[in-house]
Amino acid sequence: TYIGWILNGVRGGLAAGLLFVLPGFIAILLLSFVYVGFRDVGVVAGLFFGIKAVILAVVLDAVRRIGARALKTGVLWSIAAAAFIGIFFLDVRFPVIVIGAGILGFLGARFRPTHFIATAPAEASEVSDSRASPSWKRAVKIIGIFVPLWFAPIVLALWFFGGESVFVHLGLFFSKMAVVTFGGAYAVLSYVAQEAVQNFGWLRPGEMVDGLGLAESTPGPLIQVVQFVGFLAAFRDSGGLDPWTAAVLASLLVTWVTFVPCFLWIFLGAPYIERLQGNRQLSAALSAITAAVVGVILNLAIWFALNVLFAAVAEIHAYGLRFYVPALPTLDVAAVIMSAVAMIALLRFKVGMLPTLGAGALLGVAYKLV
């Protein structure tokens, strides 16, 4: 969206952003229909079994790649460790971790900037495009257009279905998510999984992993998995509508409240990007957030691993801490083997993600059919 804005202003940003999202939306919508209607069929069950095993390796690889880029100092390593302990053992919410890391980095830049900045901030430069000139008038106009667009479907859902409907809950939750999507999809998916599975009960743990597999294997952004969450949530709680109709409406709603804020942030902030690149305190805050994100993604990887490799995982609270305890007899040996092979392919032999996903899917089908 930002590249489109650079090339052709708001129209370019809209064209680039919409065409980036649309293929993934269509693909996830079709696959959600298949998942709900046919997931118990042998071939489809095998596809998802194989994809889930590979996804575990993909998430672990993401931890490695992001950590290698982000954790350049001891302080940043400490922030990552604290974020992991906070979200995994103490059940601290992702927005709290993001805000806390940002404040710590912002303040730390004043006293120990070399400890908080993973890479040197770029030199500031003047914006060359006259369309990019920042102004209060322009900012008010952008806010006046995109904020009403953002919340319009939530207001309509409130009007037609009431405040306790799944549509309102989906709209408000994913609107909140759109404000804290620092660190990319892997980071925020930990937050989504935590809320959608444990708090709202929209999905079961294995279904969240299936959704991530769908998003990884289709065009478009990984965060499109939120559409799958909305689809299943509304299918199960349709509020008097036909379940399939409710699921499609929820897919549209969730996609809307996830991506309309993206256009708002880009169009509102794009004229300031060049001027902010040289700001050390902002760079330190973002470096601290990125370090925290590494710990959050590690939490996601472990959570996924437990739910992919074991059929039953208990959540125990003791001494103010939370522990996940897998039922050892439910260990899926086939899933362990396939995940290990996928990790070797990705990490050792540097096989691409899509070929690995494809091979995993085929092996999963063969295993289930045999």
Side-chain angles (χ1 to χ4, degrees), residues 136-192:
W136 283 107
K137 182 178 179 181
R138 179 189 178 280
V140 170
K141 181 180 179 181
I142 293 293
I143 293 172
I145 293 172
F146 281 94
V147 169
L149 283 175
W150 177 358
F151 288 101
I154 302 176
V155 173
L156 289 174
L158 182 63
W159 178 270
F160 284 105
F161 302 108
E164 294 304 313
S165 78
V166 69
F167 299 103
V168 173
H169 288 305
L170 286 168
L172 291 176
F173 171 69
F174 286 108
S175 291
K176 182 167 64 173
M177 183 209 70
V179 180
V180 295
T181 45
F182 291 91
Y186 284 114
V188 78
L189 282 179
S190 175
Y191 175 47
V192 173

Side-chain angles (χ1 to χ4, degrees), residues 30-41 44 231 235 244:
L30 294 175
L31 289 171
S32 296
F33 274 98
V34 172
Y35 182 85
V36 172
F38 303 99
R39 63 176 163 176
D40 293 328
V41 176
V44 177
F231 189 99
F235 185 85
W244 296 104

Side-chain angles (χ1 to χ4, degrees), residues 2-186:
Y2 179 66
I3 292 171
W5 179 85
I6 288 291
L7 293 175
N8 204 23
V10 171
R11 288 182 300 173
L14 287 172
L18 290 172
L19 292 174
F20 179 63
V21 171
L22 187 59
F25 173 81
I26 294 172
I28 295 292
L29 185 62
L30 294 175
L31 289 171
S32 296
F33 274 98
V34 172
Y35 182 85
V36 172
F38 303 99
R39 63 176 163 176
D40 293 328
V41 176
V43 172
V44 177
L47 282 171
F48 282 102
F49 175 79
I51 288 174
K52 280 196 292 189
V54 175
I55 287 301
L56 174 56
V58 171
V59 177
L60 287 171
D61 187 43
V63 176
R64 179 192 63 82
R65 288 185 287 106
I66 298 174
R69 292 198 305 266
L71 305 181
K72 300 294 187 181
T73 70
V75 170
L76 295 177
W77 273 96
S78 299
I79 292 174
F84 171 74
I85 293 170
I87 197 168
F88 191 83
F89 292 106
L90 300 175
D91 198 19
V92 178
R93 293 293 184 262
F94 179 64
V96 175
I97 290 174
V98 168
I99 293 170
I103 293 173
L104 182 62
F106 187 84
L107 296 175
R110 300 187 61 181
F111 306 103
R112 294 288 189 273
T114 57
H115 292 170
F116 284 87
I117 300 178
T119 57
E123 292 296 326
S125 59
E126 292 299 319
V127 180
S128 58
D129 190 344
S130 61
R131 295 169 302 177
S133 301
S135 68
W136 283 107
K137 182 178 179 181
R138 179 189 178 280
V140 170
K141 181 180 179 181
I142 293 293
I143 293 172
I145 293 172
F146 281 94
V147 169
L149 283 175
W150 177 358
F151 288 101
I154 302 176
V155 173
L156 289 174
L158 182 63
W159 178 270
F160 284 105
F161 302 108
E164 294 304 313
S165 78
V166 69
F167 299 103
V168 173
H169 288 305
L170 286 168
L172 291 176
F173 171 69
F174 286 108
S175 291
K176 182 167 64 173
M177 183 209 70
V179 180
V180 295
T181 45
F182 291 91
Y186 284 114

